[in-house]
Structures are given as structure tokens and as C-alpha cells.
Amino acid sequence: NIVSISAIEVLDSRGNPTVEACVVLNDGTSGRAIVPSGASTGNREAVELRDGDLGRYQGRGVLKAVANINDLIAPVLIGRPADEQRRLDHLMCELDGTDNKSRLGANAILAVSMALTRAAASHYRQPLYRYLGGSNAHLLPVPCLNVINGGQHASNNLDFQEFKIVPHHAPSFAEAIRMGEETFHALKTLLAERGLGTGIGDEGGFAPALKSNEQAVELILDAIEAAGYRPGEDISLALDPATSEMAEGDGYRFSRSDNVLRTADEMTDLWQSWLDRYPIILLEDPLGEDDWAGWETLTRRLAGRVELVGDDLLCTNPELLQRAIDQGVANSVLIKPNQIGTVTETLECVTLANRHGYGCYLSHRSGESEDTFIADLAVAIGCGHMKTGSGCRSERVAKFNQLLRIENELGYQARFAGRDAFRTRRA
Ligand code: PGA
Ligand code: ZN
């Protein structure tokens, strides 16, 4: 049973405060977790509680969320068994009482929820991925490395937020990581040779000033070849343009590059032309979070050629995902535990997606930490593909390292998901 729950304010990878919770059980085992934080957040995400006290951390302190754990959540959960995850998560939601976790803060609730999972896993002396996923958890995800950063994650002239490489043609996760890292380093050499910047953005990808969004794709294709791989065969591309950030009225303004305002139809034409030209297998948020009509048309036109992932659109929210299923929108959902705020609801979203043939694409946030919970979660749910940043920065590669450990521990039982993990064919 739980004997104590406590929290403190710690830092994320951008140097902003975030919440760390610790759960201790009466057998002496414990679990600790740190929550991440997004920059290009969806409007319907659960609320991250910030103090708003401009005298501390520019208003970004999380002492209220910390106090909510120590003073409000702890008294309700202490004495209960840590392995009743659903019940404990439900109790926290009830205590919060709002539908977006704005009273206690999703950062407070999720920190405890994840720490509870870890404590229960350690009580049963099981690795986290096995405790969460059972004895059949064995599928290692394809890592999608965000090698060029733009949009809200960099101060360059790229409208689109994430340009990713997808090393899917590999016998193992370890070999996929090697392919990804070799390409990442080839890209650095190539940028330097062409007189372009090699400084990095929030997720560890390069953030050069380029002529156009297309140039970012072309540089990456050159880097794949320079590293000795075949674009499309060995390594494909994935994009998260995060278009909610570009929404203006009914259209999308490319304010960083050509400053043109495009309609949803013009955006869909643009994606179609990119799919014709480039080996792209996954498109996330190709249209904005309020553009359900545009998404319907886009899904009809492009599903079957490319995985269409809803991030800001769906916010890891089972109700929004159900709406997408009913309306034939997207064919995959981004899974970010802090968008919904408990481990239980995250797993509910995964279950719903699985039941309807939607993909689950697991994700970090742009503000991360050394916490590797999502690495274990990827194997537990067998989602087959995930994004956790570029090829550098310890808060990003910490997840790779944890997956390398898991693959090694599973030994011959481990299987690498490969290209089949992507929803690129019609069902
Ligand atoms: P965020 O970006 O963590 O800043 O929201 C990630 C994403 O848009 O997928
Ligand atoms: Zn996104």
C-alpha cells in the first residue's frame, strides 16, 4: 500500500519548471516520474497548471501543482494499493472535478499517475514495459528522428515544425538507431559544407535558415544518400507541420517563408504534391485542430498513401478520437500522456484506436526531461512507431537508450516493428 506521495518543482529541457512526483509503498519500493511540457499545444489538451506569479520563472512556476499533490492528492491516495491504477486515476479525476483537469492541474495528476505505475511495477519486481504490457510486450518501435526543427521549436524561417527521418528497413531497434544517427551526422556535415547553420532547436534537430520548406526535405534526402541509405527503401520521411500554429481565419499563413495564405484545399493539394515527389510515410496535423471539414476531405484523398496522424486535433482524448472515427477523419492518433493527464485515459485512447484500426504514434513533448516512461510505454502498447526528438540532447536520447536496454533484455523475443507499423495502405 501507498505510504507517501510527495512532489517537488524540477526543470525541463527548456529550463522551465515542471512537476516531479514520488510514490513510496510500505514494502520500501517506490516510483518517481517527471511530466513533460509542450510548446505547440492543442486547445483541447488537459490544463497544465502554472502559477502565473511573474516574480518566479516568468510566471511558469508549478508550486501550485506541487502543493495540490502534497496537500490534496496524497491524503486521498495514501493507504490504498498502488496497483489499482484505474481506480486511483479515477479518484484523482473525481477530486479534480473538471473535465480538463484545470483545478488540480494535469501536470500534478499525471506526475502521480506515472509514479504510481512505476511504484507498482517495482513492487512486483517487473520492468515497467512488462508490468504495463504483460508478458507478450515485445515489439520495439520505429524511431522517427526530428532532424530539422522549425515552427514553434526554432527561430528560423521554416513554417513547418518537424522534418523527420524514419529508419524502418532495419533488423532491430539498435540498427535503426544507428541508421538514424549516421544520417543525422551526415546532415550536419552537409549543412556545414553548404555554409548552413548547424545550431539546434528545442528537440535537438538542426535549425538552419533555409530558402523554403522544400529545401529542408531535399537536404534530408541528400543526407540519407550521403550516409549510404536509399530514401524510401531504407529510410522514409515523416512530417509534423503543426498547422494549427499557422491557422488564420479559414486558411493557413506561411508567415515565415512566402507569407501566402492558403485554403484547406490548397494545403491538401500541397501535401498531395509532396507525396508525389518525396518518400513521406507519415503526416501529422496536416490541417488545423478546428478544420474538421478540411480533415474529412484530406483523409478521403490521402489515406491509403500516408499515415495521417491527429495531434492537436485529437489531444489523446478518447471522445475526440471517437468523433474522428465516426467522421472518417485521420487514420492514426498521436499519443501524448500529458495531453489527457492520466495513464489510464492514455491506455483507453490506445485501446479505442486499436479497436478501430487506427494507428497509435507515441510522442514526447518539446519540453522533456530525463524521464523515460514513454520508452517503456511504447513497448507495453506495441504501437510500432514513436517520436522522441532528434539524434542528440540527453532528454531525447535517454528514450533511445532505454529502448536499447529493453531490446537487449528481451533478447531473441524482441521484434522490430519496421515499415508495417505505418498506416499507408487502405484497409
Ligand atoms: P509540442 O510539439 O510538444 O511543443 O506540442 C510536439 C508536437 O506538436 O507534436
Ligand atoms: Zn504535433
Side-chain angles (χ1 to χ4, degrees):
N1 289 7
I2 301 165
V3 291
S4 85
I5 297 181
S6 58
I8 58 170
E9 187 181 62
V10 295
L11 297 172
D12 74 14
S13 57
R14 278 191 276 253
N16 290 324
T18 189
V19 181
E20 175 175 272
C22 183
V23 171
V24 182
L25 308 184
N26 60 353
D27 65 353
T29 58
S30 62
R32 190 191 292 285
I34 304 179
V35 292
S37 173
S40 63
T41 50
N43 287 335
R44 297 177 196 85
E45 290 191 21
V47 173
E48 177 183 84
L49 195 63
R50 297 274 174 194
D51 297 338
D53 169 5
L54 293 176
R56 295 186 76 250
Y57 289 114
Q58 299 167 313
R60 296 201 185 98
V62 291
L63 294 180
K64 285 182 192 162
V66 164
N68 287 344
I69 293 176
N70 292 328
D71 304 338
L72 301 176
I73 294 175
V76 173
L77 301 191
I78 285 172
R80 295 174 186 274
D83 61 359
E84 295 189 350
Q85 182 91 43
R86 273 189 83 81
R87 189 169 158 71
L88 302 180
D89 284 345
H90 184 71
L91 279 171
M92 288 194 282
C93 292
E94 259 187 7
L95 185 65
D96 175 80
T98 69
D99 55 13
N100 59 3
K101 302 186 175 63
S102 53
R103 189 168 91 91
L104 299 177
N107 42 354
I109 295 174
L110 182 66
V112 174
S113 184
M114 287 161 58
L116 283 167
T117 317
R118 278 225 175 84
S122 90
H123 169 76
Y124 288 110
R125 295 189 164 54
Q126 285 190 346
L128 185 58
Y129 67 89
R130 179 159 304 135
Y131 173 71
L132 269 177
S135 60
N136 192 41
H138 69 288
L139 191 66
L140 274 291
V142 179
C144 301
L145 281 71
N146 181 11
V147 293
I148 293 188
N149 296 181
Q152 296 297 309
H153 295 167
S155 48
N156 55 10
N157 53 352
L158 295 172
D159 304 285
F160 302 159
Q161 181 178 282
E162 303 175 8
F163 296 83
K164 293 175 283 187
I165 52 171
V166 185
H168 46 65
H169 190 71
S172 64
F173 179 79
E175 285 297 286
I177 284 294
R178 180 172 67 81
M179 292 163 66
E181 292 290 353
E182 287 171 2
T183 305
F184 177 66
H185 291 114
L187 178 59
K188 181 169 186 174
T189 304
L190 200 142
L191 288 168
E193 280 169 5
R194 299 185 191 176
L196 295 163
T198 54
I200 58 171
D202 282 4
E203 296 192 349
F206 301 112
L210 300 178
K211 288 197 296 282
S212 64
N213 297 300
E214 281 86 349
Q215 195 190 359
V217 173
E218 277 150 21
L219 279 164
I220 292 172
L221 292 174
D222 288 349
I224 293 171
E225 287 185 342
Y229 298 107
R230 300 163 298 172
E233 302 284 321
D234 301 315
I235 302 182
S236 295
L237 306 180
L239 300 172
D240 179 8
T243 54
S244 296
E245 303 294 326
M246 297 156 56
E248 187 181 304
D250 289 340
Y252 300 87
R253 183 164 312 272
F254 287 38
S255 59
R256 292 178 179 229
S257 56
D258 60 17
N259 204 34
V260 171
L261 185 69
R262 290 170 171 81
T263 65
D265 277 343
E266 286 167 342
M267 289 294 285
T268 306
D269 292 342
L270 180 138
W271 296 129
Q272 183 145 27
S273 79
W274 278 40
L275 294 182
D276 292 341
R277 274 183 290 161
Y278 305 127
I280 296 169
I281 60 170
L282 182 148
L283 259 182
E284 176 182 332
D285 284 354
L287 292 174
E289 61 194 327
D290 297 316
D291 196 352
W292 284 80
W295 262 99
E296 257 188 79
T297 310
L298 178 138
T299 306
R300 222 176 303 122
R301 283 177 57 183
L302 304 183
R305 294 189 65 180
V306 65
E307 177 162 327
L308 297 167
V309 183
D311 171 15
D312 291 348
L313 182 81
L314 304 178
C315 292
T316 318
N317 185 319
E319 285 173 24
L320 291 171
L321 177 58
Q322 187 62 56
R323 178 176 172 192
I325 292 163
D326 294 341
Q327 283 184 227
V329 158
N331 58 19
S332 180
V333 56
L334 200 73
I335 300 292
K336 287 170 166 168
N338 86 322
Q339 283 184 322
I340 188 72
T342 60
V343 172
T344 298
E345 290 161 291
T346 303
L347 295 174
E348 273 171 14
C349 196
V350 170
T351 304
L352 182 62
N354 287 340
R355 202 180 320 134
H356 293 274
Y358 274 53
C360 287
Y361 185 41
L362 189 62
S363 174
H364 65 157
R365 298 309 303 249
S366 53
E368 262 295 334
S369 76
E370 66 273 28
D371 192 299
T372 57
F373 193 96
I374 56 168
D376 284 74
L377 183 59
V379 178
I381 63 178
C383 59
H385 51 342
M386 78 184 301
K387 62 170 183 176
T388 178
S390 186
C392 70
R393 293 182 60 137
S394 283
E395 79 279 8
R396 312 294 155 188
V397 301
K399 280 69 165 175
F400 296 156
N401 289 343
Q402 177 68 359
L403 284 160
L404 290 167
R405 282 181 210 112
I406 294 173
E407 184 170 68
N408 184 59
E409 185 175 301
L410 284 170
Y412 73 92
Q413 299 174 76
R415 196 165 72 76
F416 178 63
R419 203 184 186 295
D420 289 347
F422 294 80
R423 297 288 188 281
T424 54
R425 291 182 205 91
R426 267 190 206 286

